[in-house]
Amino acid sequence: MTPFTGQLEPLITAAAGAILLWVLGARLTANTRFELGRGRYAGAFPFLGAFIGAGLAGGVFTQQSFQALAAGAILLAIIGFLRDRQRFSYLTLLPWGALIIITSLFAATDAATSSIFVISATLWAILIIVCLKIAALVYEMPFILLTTSALTQFIYFSQHQFTQSAVLVNLALLTSSVLMLIYSTGGRRVLTGSSGIFTAGFLLAAVSLLEGSGQLLLFGLFVPSMVILFPFTLISAMIVASYFGNRLHHGTSRERIYSWSLRREKTVLFAGLFFLCLNFLALLVLIDAPTPAYFALFLLFVISLFVFVSTFARKDASNNTQVPRQIEILGIAIDAVLPADVIERIASYLQQTSPASESAADASATARSSTDGSSLFHIVTADSLALVRAGEETRFKSAMQRAALVVPDGAGVVWAADFLGTPLPGRVPGVALVSQICEAAGKNGWKIFFLGGKAGIAEHAANTLNKEHSINICGIEHGYFAPDSEEEEAVLERIARAKPDIIFVALGVPRQEYFIARLRNCLKRGVAVGVGGSFDVISQTLPRAPYWMQRFAIEWLFRLWLEPRRFMRMLGIPAFVLQILRHKWNTENS
Ligand code: UDP
């Protein structure tokens, strides 16, 4: 007997159930606010509909295993729904989700006799749910994953003994996912939501457990793990590829945009073929397939490769390769400037606000906003972590928006600009900028104030720069004083008295930005640059990453090695990559 015999009826009822519940769900949630992005919310409705439909036709609702799965799926759908309504954080939901998974899997499986089984089965289900959650970065991706997994499992079942419940659940997953995929053709988006992901992930995990096959478990693990790795490996591959022909850092913007012109539809197609190849490879190994089957798989792989090449390598003719004055990344306007442009701007700010200048107001007009009447120009050196922070802290975001210049400091920002199709001319690394400003200051006689770092560090950095560029230093202060303290007032006063043309503020992000905002009240002209940990590097307290690491955009790894305490902050880098990916793939014109 094959699992396909007599499965037509459950197939039809599963499809009918999926459509019915989805339509019903859409009506019920018509006035519900979801903040999941643009698209139509599906949640767990189609999965539950297909599950109930297949179960009714298969006559298995009286079986304890099926009832337990239904109870688990419905409860997870409900807590996922609450999450979709932003009512609970994942942290709050985790123990409840785990409890539901443990009890329902325990009730559904005969094998659930040992605590080891219960723990591993729960972790297994949570892992699959996490995999689907990451796949949901691209709206249709969970459906692709579920379709390919369910499809290959069907073929696998036909070669083995199988439980009827497992086949019916698999059928339900396959039907609902395929329906959602069909719906989403033509650019319509379906939002799975946590509700759909919790439910589908739980059911997928249950199928592999009900089959009780260690091989199947492994096979299931392999594919979802690929989904976790997919966005990150893809980006790493792209960054590496950009050094072979696309030259991320040295090419012109026209050349750089070459590799980033990928569209969501193509990405989804590529991912689908990629997952299918992996699924089938595992399947062929498991069922001990004959050689022609491997040949067919090879052909599929070649097609995937072709899609890959046409997706990532071909230039999109519609790209506008003219570099605009400013580009936007995650809601922050970044100035498309090179270090030489920054120096030019500084010179012009200082010239226009010099005491001899007739109108300081004219100079204010050249900055993006100097609404408070101060002509202190704030330059922000923004890296990817700063952009993530701006999304989380309104105060920091508005400090960035008020700045005269926001320069791209970091390969992550340059990568994101390229990836979003609005390339920047290049990087403006903070450390190099400090040195270049000092060089210009030496020539023009600008007065410089050094603020920040531990005692002695600013002095050391200032002396190093003075030796190289003979600069006019008008003040040096360490940066260890409490915000809004009397000591800070005293520092502000000393800076005001020193009247610097340029002040480097090295207090770290976002403190330095807040300090500069305060400085506007007492310093009416000049340029303030937030320079983070630059003094540590210039004074050689912290060595700069080797050149090859800078080239391969892994300077952050070097800093992590030197300062392991930065680890928590570094977690913002994958968050940045994920936010950019999400934005690219899911915004209207991507
Ligand atoms: N720093 C400071 N005062 C403080 C905290 C930090 O002067 O209260 C200095 C710190 O010594 C370092 C610089 O700010 O030289 C930047 O710190 P970090 O490297 O943590 O920030 P990032 O470079 O990421 O902005």
Side-chain angles (χ1 to χ4, degrees), residues 452-454 479-480 506-509 511 532-533 536 559 565-566 569:
K454 295 200 180 96
Y480 284 82
L507 299 177
V509 173
R511 172 90 199 278
D536 297 320
R559 287 196 80 173
R565 71 183 164 83
R566 296 176 72 97
R569 212 181 321 168

Side-chain angles (χ1 to χ4, degrees), residues 364-365 367-376 398 401-403 520:
S364 302
R368 47 173 110 191
S369 59
S370 286
T371 45
D372 53 9
S374 164
S375 288
L376 177 71
S398 51
Q401 284 166 338
R402 276 202 311 272
R520 280 173 185 277

